[in-house]
Structure formats: structure tokens, C-alpha cells
């Protein structure tokens, strides 16, 4: 066996052992993470539905929108959406009236920077979008905000990512309302 | 015993060696973040030092860096998914800085400079010492920043915090901003250098 082959084999063996170890660990931990995500989603749904009941989750074929829940009594929709932030993909959920107006929104899984984009996890941060999307379009930059510009400063990419996703959700809800 | 305390003062990774500054500046907003980050780093540091010391004679010199990176990345991934499962609040709070432990200079530095050349017990002590020094540094920065910048001390992620009334009512906001982290770091590095000079005398 040549020297280089021996080194390649050793490195390959280390990589294989590492992959095996992580696969075993993942088989134990993945179901716990999934349960935790489901519980978090249920808690977010309760908050976004604001005391109203929601129907069963439906998968949506629109790009960027993962699931939707109809709020009882035709009060609108709750959408689970994907957005792109500074740290990569972000998961957010928002409730809309039938005319596309945002009632409430929450940022869920994300890898945004601590002290900057992470601020979007605060409910106060997401409040700046409430009431937009119906007759008034959703602000796409913080200069378009009358209130709360200081609250969202320092994380432009996070803000824009959330705004784009919420805008997409609002337009989709309007289309669903027009189709009915 | 001398080796155990070297990471605290003489070779403190943050204040003397100036290693691991990115997470030290970024996650030191609250004490709970600092404790969580330190614990995760300590676990990875101990695991990597032990494994690298154990297999130091089997890993050829030419492939030692990629081999160390694979070992460290495996340990960091394990810590990351365990935190996601059992401490989601801390995992969310630290965000991208947990996966970034892979490129923390303290870990690769100790693997290369110490664990690859020393016995298992010495490498274990080295990891403990450096991890403890990193913890003391990070928690000290976070304590000062949170106390002055927010007037609070948060010990549990997303849990209750201790409110310090005069400071909570009139916080010095610059300390909760990145500039505040640099100011605190600068003063503490100065203090440690002064301490080093005094001890030499």
C-alpha cells in the first residue's frame, strides 16, 4: 500500500466513523426535535389565531409558503412561510385577514446574528408589520416605517427577508379570497 | 495543578492569547448566553483534546489538520443537535455561534499545539484549564455588559432575570451594542496585562 493511499484510507475511516456516530445520535434526537417543533408551532398558532379556532393544516403549492390553516368563521388564514435572512433560511408564521392585512406575525427557526437579526424574535419587532398588507402595502425597508424604525435597525437583511415573505403571504391570501 | 490554572491568568484564551474573540464579542449580551456558549465550547474542547491525544500516533502528520477538523466538526454537530433537542431556548439564543465553534481558534489551536503532542491526562487538564479560562472571560464580559447595558442579570435563557433598579431605569445603552463589547474587552485585556506585569515583578 502506498503512503498516500494509507493516508487517504485513514482520513476516510475518520470521516466514516464521524458520520456513523452522528447518524446514531440523530436517530435518537431527531424525533425529540420534531416533537419540540410541533409543540412550538401549536403555541404559535394559538397566539396568531387570537382565541379563534383553526382548521386542519393544508400543504400549499406556492413557493415560499409551506402550510396554511383557515381561521374559523372565515376570519382569514395563518400561513407558515420561509424567508431568507442574513444567516440563511428563516421560518415564520403570520395570520392574515381575508383582504391580506397582517394581524400578527412570529419569527420561528432562524440562524440570525445574536444582537442584530435575532431581535426579530421579539413580538415587539414583528408588531411593526401589523395592519399592513390590505389597503396599505407592507413596508419593504425601514425608511418606509412611520413607527418602530429604531426597533428594527441594525439588521437590514433580516428585515427585508421578513418583509418579502410577509408580502408574498399577503398577495397569496388576496388571490385565495378573489378565487372564492 | 499549575497547568490547571494557566488558562485563568497567564494563558487566558480571551484576554491574553486573544483567541475566540468573535463569539466572545457577539454572544456576551446576557450572562445566560455566555454560560451556554462556554459550556458548549468546554464540551467540544474536552472531547477534541481527548480524541486527538488518544489517536495522535495513528493520525499521520500530513492529514492532521483535516482529521482534526472532522473530529471537531463532529463534536460540534453533536452538541448542536443535543441543544436543539434538550435546550431549544439556548440553541435559539446562540444561533449560528454554536456551529461556528468548529472554527473557534481555541479548539483547533489547543489540538495542534497541545493535544497532538501530549498524553491523555495532560490534554484533559489543558482542555479543562482553557475551557475554564474561556468561561471566566466570557461570563465576566457578559456580566459587565448586561449589568451596565440593561441593568439586569439573566441566568436562564428565556427565564426570569434579576433586575438591578438604578441601572435598569437608566441603562448605559452603549454596553449592549457591539461597541460596548469592544470597550469592555479592551479594559479587561488592559487589566490582565497589568496583572501579568505585576506578577512578573
Amino acid at each position: 500500500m502506498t503512503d498516500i493511499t494509507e493516508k487517504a484510507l485513514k482520513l476516510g475511516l475518520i470521516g466514516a466513523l464521524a458520520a456513523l456516530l452522528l447518524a446514531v445520535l440523530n436517530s435518537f434526537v431527531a424525533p425529540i426535535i420534531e416533537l419540540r417543533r410541533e409543540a412550538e408551532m401549536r403555541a404559535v398558532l394559538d397566539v396568531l389565531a387570537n382565541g379563534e379556532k383553526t382548521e386542519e393544516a393544508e400543504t400549499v403549492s406556492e413557493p415560499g409558503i409551506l402550510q396554511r390553516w383557515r381561521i374559523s368563521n372565515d376570519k382569514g388564514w395563518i400561513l407558515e412561510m420561509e424567508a431568507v435572512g442574513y444567516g440563511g433560511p428563516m421560518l415564520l408564521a403570520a395570520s392574515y385577514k381575508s383582504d391580506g392585512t397582517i394581524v400578527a406575525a412570529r419569527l420561528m427557526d432562524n440562524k440570525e446574528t445574536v444582537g442584530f437579526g435575532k431581535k426579530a424574535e421579539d413580538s415587539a419587532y414583528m408588531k411593526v408589520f401589523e395592519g399592513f398588507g390590505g389597503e396599505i402595502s407592507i413596508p419593504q425597508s425601514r425608511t418606509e416605517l412611520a413607527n418602530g424604525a429604531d426597533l428594527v435597525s441594525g439588521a437590514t437583511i433580516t428585515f427585508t427577508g421578513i418583509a418579502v415573505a410577509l408580502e408574498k403571504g399577503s398577495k397569496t391570501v388576496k388571490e385565495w379570497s378573489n378565487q372564492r | 495543578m499549575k497547568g490547571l490554572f494557566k488558562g485563568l491568568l497567564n494563558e487566558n484564551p480571551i484576554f491574553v492569547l486573544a483567541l475566540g474573540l468573535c463569539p466572545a464579542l457577539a454572544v456576551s449580551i446576557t450572562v445566560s448566553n455566555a454560560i451556554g456558549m462556554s459550556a458548549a465550547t468546554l464540551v467540544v474542547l474536552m472531547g477534541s483534546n481527548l480524541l486527538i491525544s488518544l489517536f495522535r500516533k495513528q493520525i499521520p502528520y500530513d492529514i492532521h489538520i483535516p482529521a482534526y477538523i472532522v473530529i471537531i466538526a463532529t463534536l460540534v454537530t453533536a452538541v448542536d443537535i443535543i441543544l436543539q433537542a434538550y435546550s431549544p431556548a439556548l440553541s435559539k439564543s446562540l444561533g449560528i455561534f454554536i456551529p461556528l465553534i468548529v472554527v473557534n481558534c481555541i479548539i483547533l489551536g489547543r489540538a495542534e499545539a497541545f493535544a497532538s503532542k501530549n498524553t491523555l491526562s495532560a490534554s484533559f487538564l489543558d482542555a479543562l484549564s482553557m475551557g475554564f479560562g474561556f468561561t471566566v472571560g466570557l461570563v465576566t464580559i457578559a456580566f459587565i455588559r448586561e449589568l451596565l447595558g440593561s441593568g439586569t442579570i439573566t441566568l436562564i435563557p428565556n427565564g426570569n432575570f434579576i433586575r438591578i433598579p438604578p441601572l435598569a431605569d437608566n441603562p448605559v445603552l452603549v454596553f449592549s451594542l457591539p461597541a460596548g463589547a469592544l470597550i469592555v474587552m479592551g479594559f479587561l485585556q488592559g487589566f490582565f496585562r497589568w496583572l501579568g506585569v505585576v506578577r512578573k515583578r
Side-chain angles (χ1 to χ4, degrees):
Chain A
M1 194 185 295
T2 62
D3 185 42
I4 197 147
T5 315
E6 189 190 337
K7 284 171 189 165
L9 280 176
K10 279 190 173 174
L11 198 55
L13 183 68
I14 293 170
L17 281 174
L20 181 71
L21 186 79
L22 287 176
V24 171
L25 182 65
N26 192 54
S27 69
F28 287 107
V29 198
I32 299 167
I33 295 172
E34 192 53 40
L35 280 177
R36 199 254 315 156
R37 287 203 174 125
E38 281 172 16
E40 188 188 9
M41 193 67 230
R42 275 197 302 274
V44 169
L45 276 181
D46 286 345
V47 172
L48 296 182
N50 200 19
E52 299 287 340
K53 284 188 177 172
T54 51
E55 295 178 6
E56 285 294 300
E58 299 170 44
T59 311
V60 181
S61 57
E62 286 288 331
I65 302 176
L66 304 174
Q67 294 188 89
R68 70 178 186 183
W69 293 261
R70 189 194 293 273
I71 304 172
S72 298
N73 304 321
D74 245 357
K75 288 198 170 168
W77 297 90
I78 295 173
L79 306 184
E80 186 188 15
M81 296 171 282
E82 269 184 333
V84 182
Y86 188 75
M90 305 184 286
L91 209 57
L92 69 144
S95 57
Y96 294 90
K97 288 181 186 171
S98 302
D99 67 350
T101 305
I102 296 167
V103 180
R106 288 285 182 280
L107 181 67
M108 301 189 312
D109 283 357
N110 67 85
K111 294 276 185 195
E112 297 304 278
T113 314
V114 178
F116 293 93
K118 276 277 173 200
K119 290 192 291 186
E121 286 179 356
D122 295 341
S123 54
Y125 184 105
M126 298 301 264
K127 269 190 188 296
V128 300
F129 294 106
E130 290 178 9
F132 291 100
E135 290 177 3
I136 318 162
S137 60
I138 295 168
Q140 298 294 308
S141 73
R142 67 187 185 95
T143 52
E144 293 175 37
L145 289 171
N147 300 312
D150 290 342
L151 202 68
V152 303
S153 67
T156 311
I157 296 173
T158 312
F159 179 84
T160 309
I162 293 169
V164 167
L166 290 174
E167 176 73 23
K168 166 84 182 163
S170 174
K171 279 182 181 164
T172 310
V173 167
K174 282 178 193 168
E175 282 169 19
W176 292 337
S177 299
N178 292 337
Q179 285 166 8
R180 295 176 70 201
Chain B
M1 278 311 270
K2 195 184 169 190
L4 190 60
F5 292 105
K6 69 180 177 187
L8 270 184
L9 290 172
N10 293 351
E11 291 182 35
N12 186 288
I14 296 179
F15 299 132
V16 179
L17 303 179
L19 296 175
L21 295 187
C22 266
L25 293 171
V27 305
S28 58
I29 292 171
T30 63
V31 175
S32 68
N33 272 2
I35 294 170
M37 186 69 190
S38 304
T41 308
L42 180 66
V43 168
V44 174
L45 188 56
M46 287 173 71
S48 69
N49 261 22
L50 282 177
L51 286 171
I52 287 162
S53 175
L54 191 64
F55 297 111
R56 67 187 188 281
K57 286 171 188 162
Q58 280 75 42
I59 299 172
Y61 179 78
D62 288 349
I63 59 160
H64 70 296
I65 293 289
Y68 295 171
I69 293 281
V70 171
I71 291 169
I72 295 167
T74 306
L75 290 164
V76 171
T77 310
V79 167
D80 190 18
I81 57 177
I82 288 170
L83 278 181
Q84 281 181 39
Y86 297 106
S87 183
L90 182 63
S91 171
K92 272 191 158 193
S93 180
L94 295 175
I96 192 69
F97 287 99
I98 289 290
L100 282 179
I101 294 175
V102 176
V103 287
N104 189 319
C105 299
I106 300 170
I107 295 164
L108 192 59
R110 295 325 290 178
E112 172 71 9
F114 198 91
S116 62
K117 301 178 183 90
N118 288 283
T119 61
L120 203 62
S121 57
S123 300
F124 176 78
L125 270 184
D126 180 72
L128 208 60
S129 167
M130 286 295 156
F132 195 39
F134 183 68
T135 304
V136 169
L138 196 53
V139 173
T140 308
I141 298 170
F143 180 81
I144 296 169
R145 284 187 70 194
E146 192 182 357
L147 184 70
L148 300 178
S150 314
T152 59
I153 301 295
T154 312
L155 295 173
I156 306 163
N158 289 358
N160 295 330
F161 51 79
I162 302 161
R163 195 170 180 275
I164 316 294
L167 285 165
D169 297 334
N170 299 294
V172 190
L173 287 175
V174 70
F175 285 106
S176 52
L177 300 172
L182 285 166
I183 292 168
V184 174
M185 173 86 77
F187 274 106
L188 286 172
Q189 280 198 344
F191 174 72
F192 268 72
R193 285 191 180 198
W194 171 79
L195 212 60
V197 171
V198 169
R199 280 164 60 87
K200 271 182 188 170
R201 279 181 198 158

